[in-house]
Amino acid sequence: MEARPLATPEEAWRIASSLRYRHIEGTVVAVVQDVETKEVLMVGHMDPIAVVLTLTTGLAHYYSTTRKRIWLKGETSGHYQIVKEFRSDCDGDAVVIKVVQIGAACHTGSRSCFESKYSLIKALKLSLRHG
Amino acid sequence: MEARPLATPEEAWRIASSLRYRHIEGTVVAVVQDVETKEVLMVGHMDPIAVVLTLTTGLAHYYSTTRKRIWLKGETSGHYQIVKEFRSDCDGDAVVIKVVQIGAACHTGSRSCFESKYSLIKALKLSLRHG
């Protein structure tokens, strides 16, 4: 599957300029959803350059708040994210992107960063216990 | 629909203690998904107390990084979020909650904070233009 630009460079700069980079290290929160299943795969951060690169290449780029640099998701792993949709929220400090995930989204090798069996708690549990 | 606890107070404190509050004002990022449609409704922040209150009541609580206080979503609007599932991510600095949204998730009155018609860009657009 081939990545396609979501915006021209001019449109991308306009969109990047409209966001509010009020999170750590001057970023917006980027929520990444599988375009088919709607599963949340990971949460990353984008600075203005990462937003522009994402929109103009169609491949997800982030700002690493630990390594203090832009990274192309998949640059070492090959686990690219092909971006099909980009939305910002009502106050411009968060975006949701819908992607086709190549391989694993998580550095642990899991498809999603949220799929550890220890991480899941369902309301069902207590209702069963009390039911 | 009635809210049910997702954890006992002891379990909730254990879970809250396991997270890494490395985002603004000592919080984790909380991504809120509609439990049925999987649509992302909003992105909020939780401090340890908001995590415990969410898990023990089954109603979403957040930490407002602007008002500098805990808030029960819906406390003034009546637009509560009944939490059905709570997951943390691989490095413990983000959670995804799946909710039944009563009324609107967004303070603008929209069901989702991400549904402004101006916020949406699809890869389709350029492919149509070039197609």
Side-chain angles (χ1 to χ4, degrees), chain A residues 48-92:
Chain A
I49 308 293
V51 170
V52 168
L53 289 172
T54 298
L55 291 171
T56 54
T57 65
L59 289 171
H61 290 68
Y62 301 97
Y63 183 81
S64 168
T65 57
T66 50
R67 288 174 292 161
K68 317 280 186 204
R69 71 170 183 88
I70 306 266
W71 56 294
L72 164 63
K73 173 74 181 166
E75 64 189 7
T76 53
S77 64
H79 294 165
Y80 299 101
Q81 291 171 337
I82 299 171
V83 181
K84 307 308 271 184
E85 195 180 301
F86 181 104
R87 283 174 187 260
S88 57
D89 74 348
C90 54
D91 60 358

Side-chain angles (χ1 to χ4, degrees), chain A residues 30-44 62 73 80-82 97-108 110-115, chain B residues 31 33 40 88-90 96:
Chain A
V31 178
V32 185
Q33 267 186 306
D34 183 294
V35 70
E36 292 300 330
T37 66
K38 309 290 190 290
E39 182 187 12
V40 176
L41 299 174
M42 57 175 271
V43 172
Y62 301 97
K73 173 74 181 166
Y80 299 101
Q81 291 171 337
I82 299 171
I97 61 174
K98 292 186 182 160
V99 307
V100 174
Q101 175 68 55
I102 309 298
C106 190
H107 71 285
T108 62
S110 293
R111 176 156 177 79
S112 158
C113 290
F114 291 91
E115 71 182 21
Chain B
V31 178
Q33 267 186 306
V40 176
S88 57
D89 75 347
C90 54
V96 168

Side-chain angles (χ1 to χ4, degrees), chain B residues 92-112:
Chain B
D93 65 354
V95 302
V96 168
I97 62 174
K98 292 187 182 158
V99 307
V100 175
Q101 175 68 55
I102 309 297
C106 190
H107 72 284
T108 62
S110 293
R111 176 156 177 79
S112 158

Side-chain angles (χ1 to χ4, degrees), chain A residues 15 33 38 87 114 121, chain B residues 15 33 38 87 114 121:
Chain A
I15 292 159
Q33 267 186 306
K38 309 290 190 290
R87 283 174 187 260
F114 291 91
I121 302 173
Chain B
I15 292 159
Q33 267 186 306
K38 309 291 190 289
R87 283 174 187 261
F114 291 91
I121 301 173

Side-chain angles (χ1 to χ4, degrees), chain B residues 12-32:
Chain B
W13 279 111
R14 186 179 55 73
I15 292 159
S17 303
S18 73
L19 299 178
R20 290 172 58 233
Y21 299 89
R22 73 180 194 88
H23 293 290
I24 46 175
E25 304 281 337
T27 60
V28 292
V29 170
V31 178
V32 185

